[in-house]
Amino acid sequence: MTNRLAGHALVEALIAQGVDTAFGVPGESYLAVLDGLHEHRDRIRFVACRHEGGASFMAEAQGKLTGRPGVCFVTRGPGATNAAIGVHTAFQDSTPMVVFVGQVASDQRDREAFQELDYRQMFGPGTLGLAKWAAEVPHADRLPEYVSRAFHTALQGRPGPVVLALPEDLLSARTAAPVLPRVEPALAWPAPGALRELRERLLAAERPLMIVGGSGWRAESAAALQRFAENWQLPVGCGFRFQDTFDNRHPLYAGDVGIGIAPALAQRVRDADLVLAVGVRLGEMTTGGYTLLEAPRPRQTLVHLHAGAEELGRVYTADLLLQCSLALAGKALETLAAPAVLPWRGWTEAAAADCVRNREHAPVEPLDMAQVVKTIERLAPADTVYANGAGNFSGWLHRFLRYPGLQHHGRTQLAPTSGAMGYGVPAAVAASLLQPRRTVVNLAGDGDFLMTGQELATAVAHGAQRLVSIVVDNGCYGTIRMHQEREFPGRVIGSALANPDFVALARAYGWRAARIERTAEFEPAFADALASGRPTLLHLVLDADVITTRTTLGAIRGAALSRQAAASA
């Protein structure tokens, strides 16, 4: 290789890994990399964002959409701390991602130089850390080696984020180190004996239930998973915010196993005599606070298939553990021959019927969010990407939107299992820039939206199209208000919001915008947004009392007051 700046060598290494877009906020600590991005701007695009939190969310969404590590560049100190939220999201969501952090010059280390931090300690790996691996590149000649290892680590086993610190003087040094080849993860297949035992346990079951999710699926594996479910007539639930793993319109779909789970589905998880968990971590949200499946030893027979050896047995003592890459999981399960007669067909049909009933709802006036979501599904193209952040507003997406299985259109759901507010806007912008032929719809709460709403400017600056962001404005941090009324009824503080004129704000950024106060106003406004092909914000005004898909703040407060009165009687 020719002798060139290490910053240029880094860009060449990214190109070799197939990276065509990187997100970030420019900083003086990695000027040589920026120069390398300029040198190779015909092969890799640098999307300059308005905040490092937004940039890291965009890279996390990139990892979800592509299955390859999303790439983010931030400067030292405040840049890295701002970006930490995206790293945490990638870790909890098992999303492959590599974050490059500019670092102080090597001869200034350990003096608390300007904005100096030790990123190996800050992002240090571990089961409860922020990253799978955090390192500082020690020498320019080893830069390609570290990049290759970063991509291997991000992709291997349970995918996740990696952080590499780049000393400023190292990036300006010259190196002839060769660019290493594209990284592909080694794929694991379950032990044949384990597959045989799984079949025996299925044959012994009377009320089986499969819960699927996780990161690392490929279209062919998801299609094979569906065939396995069909062969065995298994009811299928999707783990929290992995609803696009299995086709939600399929007659075997039982619903989403997450926040706001349908009561009938929650009871079905409890009543199952065998739970086959495929790809999901079985975290707090998917297990209803570790109650639907009791930790550490569930009442149900538990079979857990996961890509990461460190995840298997970490919380639950399962009856059978299978380590398998999700890229192969469906194909492995499909090898299990089903018997001619299955005793649980009635159980499966009842689960599907419960799922259909869960989409029924009583009309709400003047703005019916269930009808809004159903209208979005009816009008939006089949391959639409849906993004959301965190808040009670997302419950309407979870309950009423039917995601296609990822074997049809790839990932269609971008949502943080970490519960990170502000995720939706940057994720939607990234999706629009990375896959410009697809429509992208973001649903955000008012508090959620304003955490990263400045990335509307990024969308316009980089030519985003077919992008609709819907702001559900109830004038409060709704989830917190709900919990306040449940635990301390009537004693509300800190959860009220003073909001701007969202329509005027969006137009100031160069977006189209409209205000919607009634259900009938939504369909024409949304249809117009789709037809325009331009970034459009729809501001929906919702009464704060309409707090979830199933109840109201008034009902929550009343129940809490009744409990208090009974306790003091």
Side-chain angles (χ1 to χ4, degrees):
M1 292 294 295
T2 59
N3 195 277
R4 73 283 198 213
L5 295 178
H8 287 224
L10 172 56
V11 175
E12 293 169 8
L14 294 179
I15 294 170
Q17 296 301 329
V19 177
D20 60 11
T21 302
F23 300 93
V25 175
E28 70 273 20
S29 60
Y30 65 96
L31 291 176
V33 177
L34 292 171
D35 189 68
L37 289 164
H38 180 272
E39 179 71 17
H40 296 285
R41 61 189 180 280
D42 57 331
R43 301 180 65 188
I44 185 169
R45 168 178 54 169
F46 180 67
V47 176
C49 305
R50 306 310 293 262
H51 188 275
E52 291 89 356
S56 61
F57 278 148
M58 290 188 197
E60 198 278 345
Q62 182 183 23
K64 277 193 171 83
L65 284 170
T66 66
R68 301 284 299 177
V71 174
C72 179
F73 283 95
V74 296
T75 197
R76 59 199 178 211
T81 54
N82 283 342
I85 188 170
V87 179
H88 178 255
T89 299
F91 190 88
Q92 291 228 319
D93 287 42
S94 304
T95 303
M97 176 174 163
V98 179
V99 177
F100 296 97
V101 181
Q103 176 59 298
V104 300
S106 302
D107 61 355
Q108 298 176 9
R109 292 288 278 116
D110 299 322
R111 292 175 173 173
E112 197 180 350
F114 181 59
Q115 299 180 335
E116 181 183 2
L117 287 173
D118 187 333
Y119 303 105
R120 291 166 294 191
Q121 292 192 47
M122 174 182 169
F123 292 102
T127 55
L128 295 177
L130 283 177
K132 288 185 71 176
W133 180 49
E136 184 169 311
V137 182
H139 193 280
D141 289 343
R142 296 189 66 186
L143 184 56
E145 170 197 339
Y146 272 71
V147 172
S148 179
R149 180 177 170 185
F151 274 72
H152 273 290
T153 304
L155 286 168
Q156 204 77 330
R158 174 188 168 185
V162 169
V163 176
L164 285 185
L166 308 170
E168 185 176 357
D169 55 333
L170 176 149
L171 296 174
S172 299
R174 304 193 75 83
T175 180
V179 171
L180 298 177
R182 178 183 169 99
V183 168
E184 296 293 346
L187 300 181
W189 185 273
L195 286 172
R196 286 194 298 270
E197 184 176 347
L198 171 56
R199 184 175 187 274
E200 292 169 1
R201 291 187 178 277
L202 282 169
L203 291 173
E206 296 179 357
R207 300 178 305 280
L209 175 69
M210 185 159 63
I211 304 175
V212 301
S215 174
W217 290 93
R218 294 178 184 173
E220 57 271 21
S221 184
L225 177 76
Q226 179 175 307
R227 292 192 295 268
F228 165 70
E230 291 167 348
N231 292 341
W232 286 84
Q233 285 296 293
L234 295 170
V236 181
C238 289
F240 178 54
R241 289 180 172 165
F242 286 107
Q243 285 173 256
D244 59 356
T245 308
F246 193 85
D247 192 338
N248 295 184
R249 290 185 174 88
H250 195 281
L252 293 175
Y253 182 62
D256 65 293
V257 187
I259 292 178
I261 185 174
L265 179 56
Q267 190 59 47
R268 194 165 299 278
V269 177
R270 296 187 189 98
D271 292 342
D273 62 354
L274 184 148
V275 172
L276 173 55
V278 182
V280 290
R281 287 198 302 111
L282 295 177
E284 179 186 355
M285 296 298 102
T286 296
T287 63
Y290 306 102
T291 61
L292 301 180
L293 293 170
E294 295 178 3
R297 183 70 175 174
R299 296 188 309 275
Q300 309 91 327
T301 295
L302 175 61
V303 178
H304 194 186
L305 182 154
H306 200 275
E310 75 285 354
E311 186 62 30
L312 293 169
R314 182 158 71 95
V315 177
Y316 288 98
T317 302
D319 298 274
L320 179 61
L321 300 174
L322 297 89
Q323 187 180 3
C324 181
S325 301
L326 298 189
L328 300 178
K331 295 179 179 180
L333 294 171
E334 192 185 15
T335 65
L336 303 181
V341 178
L342 294 164
W344 56 71
R345 287 185 181 272
W347 160 266
T348 299
E349 291 168 359
D354 287 343
C355 183
V356 172
R357 279 192 293 273
N358 188 52
R359 295 190 80 245
E360 299 172 356
H361 71 286
V364 175
E365 294 293 344
L367 182 64
D368 189 334
M369 283 301 301
Q371 195 58 44
V372 163
V373 172
K374 291 180 178 181
T375 300
I376 293 171
E377 180 189 297
R378 177 165 50 84
L379 297 184
D383 66 345
T384 295
V385 176
Y386 297 94
N388 65 267
N392 276 12
F393 67 89
S394 63
W396 280 277
L397 272 181
H398 296 162
R399 181 176 173 185
F400 296 110
L401 187 76
R402 293 175 296 182
Y403 293 89
L406 60 82
Q407 71 267 32
H408 299 302
H409 308 292
R411 292 298 302 265
T412 54
Q413 183 180 33
L414 300 177
T417 68
S418 66
M421 292 183 70
Y423 177 87
V425 171
V429 172
S432 182
L433 296 178
L434 292 166
Q435 300 183 353
R437 296 181 181 178
R438 298 176 72 178
T439 296
V440 181
V441 176
N442 172 50
L443 192 69
D446 44 348
D448 173 69
F449 176 85
L450 280 178
M451 290 197 174
T452 52
Q454 67 272 15
E455 301 302 343
L456 267 63
T458 305
V460 173
H462 293 275
Q465 301 176 10
R466 298 182 177 88
L467 173 56
V468 183
S469 189
I470 299 167
V471 180
V472 183
D473 176 9
N474 64 358
C476 67
Y477 288 124
T479 303
I480 309 307
R481 174 73 181 274
M482 175 185 71
H483 288 304
Q484 286 177 323
E485 295 286 13
R486 178 178 291 136
E487 302 299 328
F488 303 97
R491 297 174 63 83
V492 174
I493 188 170
S495 53
L497 297 175
N499 286 324
D501 181 335
F502 286 105
V503 170
L505 180 66
R507 288 174 178 167
Y509 279 116
W511 285 48
R512 302 170 76 252
R515 179 183 171 97
I516 295 165
E517 299 181 8
R518 307 187 65 83
T519 306
E521 299 168 359
F522 180 77
E523 181 167 339
F526 185 64
D528 178 63
L530 294 177
S532 74
R534 292 177 50 201
T536 302
L537 182 142
L538 300 179
H539 175 201
L540 276 58
V541 181
L542 185 68
D543 191 316
D545 194 51
V546 184
I547 198 64
T548 75
T549 69
R550 302 183 191 278
T551 190
T552 64
L553 275 179
I556 291 170
R557 185 187 309 114
L561 290 170
S562 296
R563 286 195 305 272
Q564 287 185 353
S568 60

